[in-house]
Amino acid sequence: MNIEFENQEITFHVSYGNSKKLTIHMDGTGFITVKAPKGTSEEAVKEAVRQHGRVILQRLARLGTLRETFQPKSYDEEGKFLHLGKAYLLHELIDTEGLDAEELKLRLKKFYFASCKKVIAERLPIYQAQLKVKPKSFEIEESATKWGTCSSDKRLTFNYRLAMAPIEVIDYVVVHELCHLLHMNHDRSFWRRVGGIMPDYKEKEAYLARYGGAMTL
């Protein structure tokens, strides 16, 4: 089944069952499944998809961007790199004139470190106020395994590669680490606190798990 939305075609599969609510799911390849209660009319299904059309197109566009960035990195005019969830040509992010590949990589890393520090500094106060907590400090670091950490003395660190992620994903990592100021482990109380601030945190976790491999130099 398909509909046209904002001059673009959205194709989806419909599965009818005993569910009481109609839900729309998109997997990591962009395949869309609509689960609908038995007896739901075709027009009702199409209207539900139409209501979510803008979000669906945004997610499909993001998947297309990420597919491109999973390709081997090219440090030339054709190279594309993520910044805050969108793909940019290298020269749109940094000055590339007269630099070889290794120098470009170093300059790009400095750009990401600076960008990550700026964004985190802007987002921390928002969620500090909501959670009524305050870390002693935060730093930007390079890590192959962690997006953020919280030490026992209330110092936070964030991976510079977060600058490649969408703002809402960065927000999740910020909330996650701030919640560790209240709960140092990952028990139920911790996740309830995270969910109280960000009910869709599992989607952000899934994004990092699925696309973290593209967020690299």
Side-chain angles (χ1 to χ4, degrees):
M1 197 177 293
N2 59 70
I3 64 164
E4 187 172 301
F5 185 85
E6 294 185 351
N7 299 316
Q8 295 187 60
E9 187 175 75
I10 298 175
T11 301
F12 52 93
H13 169 72
V14 184
S15 173
Y16 295 97
N18 295 321
S19 58
K20 294 181 179 180
K21 293 194 304 182
L22 185 149
T23 60
I24 302 171
H25 173 74
M26 182 188 300
D27 69 15
T29 67
F31 185 80
I32 301 166
T33 301
V34 178
K35 293 184 178 181
K38 289 178 181 178
T40 305
S41 69
E42 181 176 314
E43 187 50 45
V45 171
K46 289 184 175 180
E47 180 57 29
V49 175
R50 216 172 272 119
Q51 288 177 8
H52 293 84
R54 188 155 296 151
V55 172
I56 289 170
L57 291 180
Q58 288 172 348
R59 289 184 178 178
L60 288 172
R62 185 174 291 166
L63 283 172
T65 293
L66 287 162
R67 287 192 196 101
E68 288 182 1
T69 55
F70 266 114
Q71 302 303 313
K73 299 296 187 290
S74 176
Y75 290 88
D76 56 32
E77 291 187 2
E78 300 302 316
K80 287 188 177 181
F81 295 84
L82 288 170
H83 183 231
L84 301 183
K86 296 181 181 179
Y88 294 87
L89 292 170
L90 189 56
H91 70 83
E92 294 178 300
L93 298 176
I94 61 172
D95 181 9
T96 60
E97 189 173 351
L99 301 179
D100 61 27
E102 194 58 35
E103 290 169 328
L104 288 170
K105 187 173 182 178
L106 287 172
R107 180 168 290 186
L108 185 59
K109 182 179 283 190
K110 287 181 180 178
F111 166 80
Y112 282 129
F113 263 89
S115 176
C116 188
K117 186 173 185 178
K118 178 177 183 294
V119 172
I120 296 293
E122 291 171 350
R123 309 309 287 176
L124 270 174
I126 297 172
Y127 296 106
Q128 285 177 197
Q130 292 183 42
L131 288 161
K132 296 181 173 58
V133 295
K134 187 175 182 179
K136 282 187 178 178
S137 65
F138 82 89
E139 294 182 3
I140 308 303
E141 65 169 22
E142 181 173 1
S143 173
T145 59
K146 296 182 181 294
W147 295 108
T149 65
C150 174
S151 69
S152 57
D153 61 351
K154 299 186 177 183
R155 300 181 192 277
L156 308 184
T157 67
F158 297 94
N159 194 322
Y160 82 94
R161 295 188 293 125
L162 281 171
M164 303 177 197
I167 285 289
E168 61 268 24
V169 175
I170 299 174
D171 281 352
Y172 161 66
V173 179
V174 168
V175 169
H176 186 113
E177 299 312 327
L178 285 175
C179 284
H180 275 314
L181 296 175
L182 299 166
H183 306 277
M184 281 304 292
N185 53 24
H186 290 100
D187 60 12
R188 287 186 180 180
S189 297
F190 170 81
W191 289 114
R192 276 199 298 268
R193 186 75 69 161
V194 173
I197 299 294
M198 189 169 287
D200 61 348
Y201 73 87
K202 288 186 178 180
E203 291 184 16
K204 311 303 189 297
E205 281 194 320
Y207 181 99
L208 290 171
R210 186 174 293 149
Y211 302 122
M215 293 159 53
T216 186
L217 296 182

